[in-house]
Amino acid sequence: MTITVPTSEPTKTGRSARTSGRAAKLGALALTETRLLTRDWTLLVFAFLFPPFTMLVLAGVFGSDPDDGFAMRRPDDYYVAASTGVSVIALALIGLPVALASYRERGVLRRFEAFGISTARVVAAQAAVTWGLILLAVALVLAVAAPTYGIPAFEHPWQVLLGFVAGSGTLVLLGVAIGLAVPTARAAQAIGLMTFFPLYLLGGGGPPRTVMTSTMRSISDALPSVIPAIVDPWIGIAPVGDHLIALAAWAAVALAAILWLTRRPRS
Amino acid sequence: MSNVAIEVEDLRRAYGGQPVLRGLSFTVHTGEIFGLAGANGAGKTTTVEILQGLRRRDGGRVEVLGLDPDRDRSRLRPLLGAQLQASALPDRLRVGEALRLFARLADDRVDWRTLAEQWRLGPLLRKPFGTLSGGQRQRLFLALALVNQPRLVFLDELTQGLDPAARQETWRLVEQARDQGATVVLVSHDLDEAERLCDRVAVLADGALLACGRPVDLTGAAGTVTVQFAAPSAVALAGLVDLPGVAEVGYDGEAASVVVAPSAVVPLAAELDRRGLRPADFTVRRASLSDTVVALLTGDHR
């Protein structure tokens, strides 16, 4: 058996080789994580079937006539746009924390760490996979909407993109923070569900925010509400800027928590 | 290459002010199976976690393959393999996927298919981790611990919960790993396992080194053997305890158990013969490592 022990400082070529090696390892981890997530049927059903199903029902119930409760926009347009945000919440706040917490609970993170794969790298792989699945789930919602209610025109396409990136990024960070903070997968699932429903209902996934009382609306404004960050600029209810401050604040809190949780001195 | 794989000197570590390691010192030689044995809570797992750089030490000097695990963590990691106590893999991860992933993470130094064949994992490649038996899991963990061709492997409580057949097989695999050139540090609270498998053993008690050496030397250091034979009555044994080299005479109503120095066995047999006792079941049992450690722990070491 021959082992090569690095004894000198890496050359520039060595550094770039190491960077590509790290990328390849992250890719291998992400591929494995993707395989594992696609075998979790509970998550797949919830993240991929629940949003299009509720879209079909709610858009069907409220119809296509512009309505005062929907800021004089078509309800079916509203629910098609809103359902893309529901997929984001489900994957980021239920799928991701449960997977991470289960890794921590069962010693999988320690096994990786003993192998020289840091927790940060595993987290990065899981976050990347979650983001990929979010894109897939959103595509599925739009694919179901296209032949039924149609895909609403983008009033402010760049703002929608900004809202989607800021909203999904913030929720993925929150999902990572929850997954790293809680001791068990069960706890992660409980917290994920407890955060999913307020964000879904108060974010406008059920009743639109325009019909909420001022108190509920204030609470909704303070939450990391991805749904209005996507819906409002999409169908022209409001500019995305109204939601970016709350999202940025939540992202900062989540990032600080993640840094603290991953950089705690080893006890 | 140095003959020393690990050097530990005056290693100290406390949790919340409670000392767990109290000035531990030992050396592990290249190419040996070195056992860290002792009761639960003796400090074995903390020691190996410090040696791997997974935990920081409070004091003392540690060198693993010439590197400091705290300072040179990233250089040390690729040289180590590890089977950690109480760590698993995702239940849905298949055996083949685990091997392929860890081989990739180790820069494909070993062909994972070859490794699978070598560790008889070929038929299990498509089986999810969650469906493997205890023995199959340990076989996979051993293969994963060796996937980066490590110079030093830490195996923590490897056979815990295995049935006797799986235990025997795991022991054979550990010896195979050593024969392939790796130095093995085996952590076990099972002293029979340490005695059976290890070239040398360090016995820890309450965070300190109780004894360290070859199992045969440690058991020999206890300095006694136990002679057992059937005896008609306690009266027939009267006065035996006064013979030179006899430490203790016991009688349970059917059999006598006499603890003696090895040199006193023949005089004891002669004395029994003189008393007309010629038991057919006269047996001499050397103390096991377990007996020796218990004796050391209870201060009953003669």
Short mmCIF file of all heavy atoms in Angstrom, two decimals, chain B residues 160-202:
data_model
loop_
_atom_site.label_atom_id
_atom_site.label_comp_id
_atom_site.label_asym_id
_atom_site.label_seq_id
_atom_site.Cartn_x
_atom_site.Cartn_y
_atom_site.Cartn_z
N GLN B 160 -19.63 -4.47 19.13
CA GLN B 160 -20.73 -4.31 20.09
C GLN B 160 -22.05 -4.75 19.44
O GLN B 160 -22.38 -4.31 18.35
CB GLN B 160 -20.82 -2.85 20.50
CG GLN B 160 -21.53 -2.64 21.80
CD GLN B 160 -21.36 -1.21 22.29
OE1 GLN B 160 -21.31 -0.28 21.51
NE2 GLN B 160 -21.28 -1.05 23.59
N GLY B 161 -22.77 -5.62 20.13
CA GLY B 161 -24.09 -6.04 19.65
C GLY B 161 -24.07 -7.12 18.58
O GLY B 161 -25.10 -7.47 18.04
N LEU B 162 -22.88 -7.64 18.25
CA LEU B 162 -22.82 -8.69 17.22
C LEU B 162 -22.93 -10.07 17.86
O LEU B 162 -22.48 -10.27 18.99
CB LEU B 162 -21.50 -8.60 16.45
CG LEU B 162 -21.26 -7.36 15.60
CD1 LEU B 162 -19.99 -7.53 14.77
CD2 LEU B 162 -22.44 -7.09 14.69
N ASP B 163 -23.50 -11.03 17.09
CA ASP B 163 -23.55 -12.39 17.61
C ASP B 163 -22.14 -13.00 17.49
O ASP B 163 -21.27 -12.46 16.81
CB ASP B 163 -24.61 -13.21 16.85
CG ASP B 163 -24.29 -13.32 15.38
OD1 ASP B 163 -23.16 -13.71 15.04
OD2 ASP B 163 -25.17 -13.00 14.55
N PRO B 164 -21.91 -14.12 18.18
CA PRO B 164 -20.54 -14.67 18.23
C PRO B 164 -19.94 -14.93 16.85
O PRO B 164 -18.75 -14.66 16.63
CB PRO B 164 -20.72 -15.98 19.01
CG PRO B 164 -21.91 -15.74 19.86
CD PRO B 164 -22.82 -14.85 19.07
N ALA B 165 -20.76 -15.43 15.90
CA ALA B 165 -20.21 -15.73 14.57
C ALA B 165 -19.78 -14.45 13.86
O ALA B 165 -18.69 -14.37 13.28
CB ALA B 165 -21.26 -16.46 13.74
N ALA B 166 -20.62 -13.42 13.95
CA ALA B 166 -20.29 -12.14 13.30
C ALA B 166 -19.07 -11.50 13.97
O ALA B 166 -18.24 -10.87 13.32
CB ALA B 166 -21.49 -11.19 13.38
N ARG B 167 -18.97 -11.69 15.30
CA ARG B 167 -17.81 -11.17 16.03
C ARG B 167 -16.51 -11.81 15.53
O ARG B 167 -15.53 -11.12 15.24
CB ARG B 167 -17.98 -11.50 17.52
CG ARG B 167 -17.89 -10.30 18.43
CD ARG B 167 -18.57 -10.65 19.73
NE ARG B 167 -17.73 -11.48 20.57
CZ ARG B 167 -17.01 -11.01 21.57
NH1 ARG B 167 -16.99 -9.74 21.85
NH2 ARG B 167 -16.29 -11.82 22.31
N GLN B 168 -16.56 -13.15 15.41
CA GLN B 168 -15.37 -13.89 14.93
C GLN B 168 -14.98 -13.39 13.54
O GLN B 168 -13.80 -13.20 13.26
CB GLN B 168 -15.69 -15.38 14.85
CG GLN B 168 -15.93 -16.05 16.19
CD GLN B 168 -14.65 -16.56 16.81
OE1 GLN B 168 -13.59 -16.49 16.18
NE2 GLN B 168 -14.72 -17.04 18.04
N GLU B 169 -15.99 -13.20 12.70
CA GLU B 169 -15.69 -12.77 11.34
C GLU B 169 -15.09 -11.36 11.34
O GLU B 169 -14.14 -11.07 10.62
CB GLU B 169 -16.96 -12.79 10.49
CG GLU B 169 -16.63 -12.66 9.01
CD GLU B 169 -17.79 -12.15 8.16
OE1 GLU B 169 -18.89 -12.00 8.68
OE2 GLU B 169 -17.54 -11.90 6.97
N THR B 170 -15.64 -10.50 12.19
CA THR B 170 -15.13 -9.12 12.26
C THR B 170 -13.67 -9.12 12.74
O THR B 170 -12.85 -8.38 12.23
CB THR B 170 -16.01 -8.28 13.20
OG1 THR B 170 -17.36 -8.40 12.76
CG2 THR B 170 -15.61 -6.82 13.15
N TRP B 171 -13.37 -9.98 13.72
CA TRP B 171 -11.98 -10.08 14.20
C TRP B 171 -11.05 -10.47 13.04
O TRP B 171 -9.96 -9.94 12.90
CB TRP B 171 -11.88 -11.14 15.30
CG TRP B 171 -12.51 -10.72 16.59
CD1 TRP B 171 -12.97 -9.47 16.91
CD2 TRP B 171 -12.78 -11.55 17.72
NE1 TRP B 171 -13.49 -9.47 18.17
CE2 TRP B 171 -13.39 -10.72 18.70
CE3 TRP B 171 -12.59 -12.89 18.01
CZ2 TRP B 171 -13.79 -11.20 19.94
CZ3 TRP B 171 -12.97 -13.37 19.25
CH2 TRP B 171 -13.57 -12.54 20.20
N ARG B 172 -11.53 -11.42 12.23
CA ARG B 172 -10.71 -11.87 11.10
C ARG B 172 -10.46 -10.71 10.13
O ARG B 172 -9.36 -10.53 9.61
CB ARG B 172 -11.42 -13.03 10.38
CG ARG B 172 -10.59 -13.79 9.38
CD ARG B 172 -11.41 -14.85 8.66
NE ARG B 172 -12.58 -14.32 7.97
CZ ARG B 172 -12.53 -13.60 6.85
NH1 ARG B 172 -11.37 -13.33 6.30
NH2 ARG B 172 -13.64 -13.15 6.29
N LEU B 173 -11.50 -9.88 9.95
CA LEU B 173 -11.37 -8.76 9.02
C LEU B 173 -10.40 -7.71 9.56
O LEU B 173 -9.65 -7.09 8.80
CB LEU B 173 -12.74 -8.12 8.77
CG LEU B 173 -13.77 -9.02 8.07
CD1 LEU B 173 -15.13 -8.35 8.01
CD2 LEU B 173 -13.31 -9.37 6.66
N VAL B 174 -10.42 -7.52 10.87
CA VAL B 174 -9.49 -6.54 11.48
C VAL B 174 -8.05 -7.02 11.27
O VAL B 174 -7.17 -6.23 10.91
CB VAL B 174 -9.80 -6.36 12.98
CG1 VAL B 174 -8.74 -5.48 13.64
CG2 VAL B 174 -11.17 -5.72 13.16
N GLU B 175 -7.85 -8.31 11.45
CA GLU B 175 -6.50 -8.85 11.24
C GLU B 175 -6.10 -8.71 9.77
O GLU B 175 -4.95 -8.41 9.45
CB GLU B 175 -6.45 -10.33 11.67
CG GLU B 175 -6.45 -10.45 13.19
CD GLU B 175 -6.63 -11.88 13.68
OE1 GLU B 175 -7.29 -12.69 12.98
OE2 GLU B 175 -6.12 -12.19 14.76
N GLN B 176 -7.10 -8.88 8.91
CA GLN B 176 -6.83 -8.71 7.47
C GLN B 176 -6.40 -7.27 7.17
O GLN B 176 -5.46 -7.05 6.41
CB GLN B 176 -8.11 -9.05 6.69
CG GLN B 176 -7.92 -9.05 5.17
CD GLN B 176 -9.24 -9.38 4.46
OE1 GLN B 176 -10.04 -10.18 4.95
NE2 GLN B 176 -9.47 -8.78 3.33
N ALA B 177 -7.06 -6.30 7.82
CA ALA B 177 -6.69 -4.89 7.63
C ALA B 177 -5.26 -4.66 8.08
O ALA B 177 -4.49 -3.97 7.41
CB ALA B 177 -7.65 -3.99 8.40
N ARG B 178 -4.90 -5.22 9.24
CA ARG B 178 -3.53 -5.09 9.73
C ARG B 178 -2.55 -5.73 8.76
O ARG B 178 -1.50 -5.17 8.43
CB ARG B 178 -3.44 -5.72 11.13
CG ARG B 178 -2.12 -5.50 11.87
CD ARG B 178 -1.16 -6.70 11.75
NE ARG B 178 -1.79 -7.99 11.92
CZ ARG B 178 -1.93 -8.61 13.10
NH1 ARG B 178 -1.50 -8.03 14.20
NH2 ARG B 178 -2.49 -9.80 13.15
N ASP B 179 -2.92 -6.91 8.25
CA ASP B 179 -2.03 -7.62 7.33
C ASP B 179 -1.83 -6.84 6.03
O ASP B 179 -0.83 -7.02 5.34
CB ASP B 179 -2.58 -9.02 7.01
CG ASP B 179 -2.59 -9.90 8.26
OD1 ASP B 179 -1.90 -9.52 9.24
OD2 ASP B 179 -3.31 -10.92 8.27
N GLN B 180 -2.81 -6.00 5.70
CA GLN B 180 -2.69 -5.18 4.48
C GLN B 180 -1.83 -3.94 4.71
O GLN B 180 -1.64 -3.14 3.81
CB GLN B 180 -4.07 -4.77 3.97
CG GLN B 180 -4.82 -5.93 3.35
CD GLN B 180 -6.24 -5.55 2.95
OE1 GLN B 180 -6.70 -4.45 3.23
NE2 GLN B 180 -6.94 -6.46 2.31
N GLY B 181 -1.34 -3.77 5.92
CA GLY B 181 -0.36 -2.71 6.16
C GLY B 181 -0.83 -1.58 7.06
O GLY B 181 -0.06 -0.66 7.33
N ALA B 182 -2.09 -1.62 7.52
CA ALA B 182 -2.58 -0.51 8.35
C ALA B 182 -2.25 -0.77 9.81
O ALA B 182 -2.25 -1.92 10.27
CB ALA B 182 -4.08 -0.35 8.17
N THR B 183 -1.98 0.30 10.53
CA THR B 183 -1.89 0.22 11.98
C THR B 183 -3.32 0.37 12.49
O THR B 183 -4.06 1.21 12.00
CB THR B 183 -1.02 1.38 12.54
OG1 THR B 183 0.26 1.29 11.93
CG2 THR B 183 -0.91 1.31 14.05
N VAL B 184 -3.70 -0.48 13.45
CA VAL B 184 -5.09 -0.47 13.90
C VAL B 184 -5.15 -0.11 15.38
O VAL B 184 -4.42 -0.69 16.19
CB VAL B 184 -5.76 -1.85 13.69
CG1 VAL B 184 -7.19 -1.85 14.20
CG2 VAL B 184 -5.72 -2.25 12.22
N VAL B 185 -5.99 0.87 15.72
CA VAL B 185 -6.27 1.15 17.13
C VAL B 185 -7.69 0.68 17.39
O VAL B 185 -8.64 1.19 16.80
CB VAL B 185 -6.13 2.65 17.45
CG1 VAL B 185 -6.58 2.94 18.88
CG2 VAL B 185 -4.70 3.11 17.24
N LEU B 186 -7.81 -0.31 18.23
CA LEU B 186 -9.11 -0.94 18.49
C LEU B 186 -9.59 -0.52 19.88
O LEU B 186 -8.90 -0.76 20.88
CB LEU B 186 -8.94 -2.46 18.44
CG LEU B 186 -10.18 -3.29 18.66
CD1 LEU B 186 -11.02 -3.33 17.39
CD2 LEU B 186 -9.80 -4.71 19.06
N VAL B 187 -10.74 0.12 19.92
CA VAL B 187 -11.30 0.54 21.20
C VAL B 187 -12.36 -0.46 21.61
O VAL B 187 -13.26 -0.76 20.82
CB VAL B 187 -11.95 1.94 21.08
CG1 VAL B 187 -12.53 2.38 22.40
CG2 VAL B 187 -10.93 2.93 20.59
N SER B 188 -12.24 -0.99 22.81
CA SER B 188 -13.22 -2.00 23.21
C SER B 188 -13.32 -2.05 24.73
O SER B 188 -12.33 -1.88 25.44
CB SER B 188 -12.79 -3.37 22.68
OG SER B 188 -13.73 -4.33 23.08
N HIS B 189 -14.55 -2.26 25.20
CA HIS B 189 -14.67 -2.49 26.64
C HIS B 189 -14.63 -4.00 26.90
O HIS B 189 -14.65 -4.44 28.03
CB HIS B 189 -15.96 -1.86 27.19
CG HIS B 189 -17.21 -2.54 26.71
ND1 HIS B 189 -17.86 -2.15 25.58
CD2 HIS B 189 -17.89 -3.58 27.21
CE1 HIS B 189 -18.91 -2.93 25.41
NE2 HIS B 189 -18.94 -3.80 26.38
N ASP B 190 -14.55 -4.77 25.81
CA ASP B 190 -14.53 -6.23 25.91
C ASP B 190 -13.07 -6.70 25.98
O ASP B 190 -12.35 -6.72 24.99
CB ASP B 190 -15.23 -6.82 24.68
CG ASP B 190 -15.27 -8.34 24.71
OD1 ASP B 190 -14.55 -8.93 25.54
OD2 ASP B 190 -16.00 -8.92 23.90
N LEU B 191 -12.65 -7.08 27.18
CA LEU B 191 -11.24 -7.42 27.38
C LEU B 191 -10.87 -8.75 26.71
O LEU B 191 -9.72 -8.95 26.31
CB LEU B 191 -10.92 -7.47 28.87
CG LEU B 191 -11.00 -6.08 29.52
CD1 LEU B 191 -11.11 -6.19 31.02
CD2 LEU B 191 -9.80 -5.24 29.13
N ASP B 192 -11.85 -9.64 26.58
CA ASP B 192 -11.56 -10.91 25.88
C ASP B 192 -11.24 -10.62 24.42
O ASP B 192 -10.35 -11.23 23.83
CB ASP B 192 -12.76 -11.86 25.97
CG ASP B 192 -12.98 -12.33 27.40
OD1 ASP B 192 -11.98 -12.37 28.15
OD2 ASP B 192 -14.12 -12.61 27.76
N GLU B 193 -11.99 -9.66 23.84
CA GLU B 193 -11.73 -9.28 22.46
C GLU B 193 -10.34 -8.65 22.33
O GLU B 193 -9.58 -8.98 21.42
CB GLU B 193 -12.79 -8.27 22.02
CG GLU B 193 -12.57 -7.71 20.63
CD GLU B 193 -13.75 -6.87 20.16
OE1 GLU B 193 -14.74 -7.47 19.74
OE2 GLU B 193 -13.68 -5.63 20.22
N ALA B 194 -10.01 -7.77 23.27
CA ALA B 194 -8.69 -7.12 23.23
C ALA B 194 -7.58 -8.16 23.36
O ALA B 194 -6.57 -8.10 22.65
CB ALA B 194 -8.60 -6.10 24.35
N GLU B 195 -7.78 -9.13 24.25
CA GLU B 195 -6.76 -10.17 24.46
C GLU B 195 -6.59 -11.03 23.22
O GLU B 195 -5.49 -11.40 22.83
CB GLU B 195 -7.15 -11.05 25.65
CG GLU B 195 -6.10 -12.10 25.98
CD GLU B 195 -6.44 -12.86 27.24
OE1 GLU B 195 -7.58 -12.77 27.72
OE2 GLU B 195 -5.55 -13.56 27.75
N ARG B 196 -7.73 -11.33 22.58
CA ARG B 196 -7.71 -12.21 21.41
C ARG B 196 -7.06 -11.53 20.20
O ARG B 196 -6.38 -12.17 19.41
CB ARG B 196 -9.15 -12.62 21.11
CG ARG B 196 -9.51 -13.01 19.70
CD ARG B 196 -8.97 -14.37 19.31
NE ARG B 196 -9.39 -14.73 17.96
CZ ARG B 196 -8.90 -14.20 16.86
NH1 ARG B 196 -7.97 -13.26 16.93
NH2 ARG B 196 -9.33 -14.61 15.67
N LEU B 197 -7.30 -10.20 20.07
CA LEU B 197 -7.00 -9.54 18.81
C LEU B 197 -5.75 -8.66 18.83
O LEU B 197 -5.07 -8.52 17.81
CB LEU B 197 -8.22 -8.67 18.45
CG LEU B 197 -8.50 -8.34 17.01
CD1 LEU B 197 -8.57 -9.60 16.17
CD2 LEU B 197 -9.82 -7.58 16.91
N CYS B 198 -5.45 -8.09 19.98
CA CYS B 198 -4.46 -7.00 20.00
C CYS B 198 -3.03 -7.51 20.22
O CYS B 198 -2.80 -8.44 20.99
CB CYS B 198 -4.81 -6.00 21.08
SG CYS B 198 -6.37 -5.21 20.77
N ASP B 199 -2.09 -6.85 19.54
CA ASP B 199 -0.68 -7.12 19.79
C ASP B 199 -0.30 -6.53 21.15
O ASP B 199 0.45 -7.13 21.90
CB ASP B 199 0.18 -6.49 18.70
CG ASP B 199 -0.15 -7.08 17.33
OD1 ASP B 199 -0.17 -8.32 17.22
OD2 ASP B 199 -0.44 -6.31 16.39
N ARG B 200 -0.81 -5.33 21.42
CA ARG B 200 -0.59 -4.71 22.73
C ARG B 200 -1.89 -4.03 23.17
O ARG B 200 -2.69 -3.63 22.34
CB ARG B 200 0.54 -3.67 22.66
CG ARG B 200 1.92 -4.32 22.50
CD ARG B 200 3.04 -3.31 22.70
NE ARG B 200 2.80 -2.10 21.96
CZ ARG B 200 2.82 -0.88 22.52
NH1 ARG B 200 3.08 -0.75 23.80
NH2 ARG B 200 2.61 0.18 21.78
N VAL B 201 -2.04 -3.91 24.47
CA VAL B 201 -3.27 -3.34 25.00
C VAL B 201 -2.93 -2.30 26.07
O VAL B 201 -2.04 -2.53 26.90
CB VAL B 201 -4.14 -4.43 25.67
CG1 VAL B 201 -5.43 -3.82 26.23
CG2 VAL B 201 -4.48 -5.53 24.70
N ALA B 202 -3.63 -1.15 26.01
CA ALA B 202 -3.56 -0.19 27.11
C ALA B 202 -4.88 -0.27 27.85
O ALA B 202 -5.94 -0.16 27.22
CB ALA B 202 -3.34 1.22 26.58
#
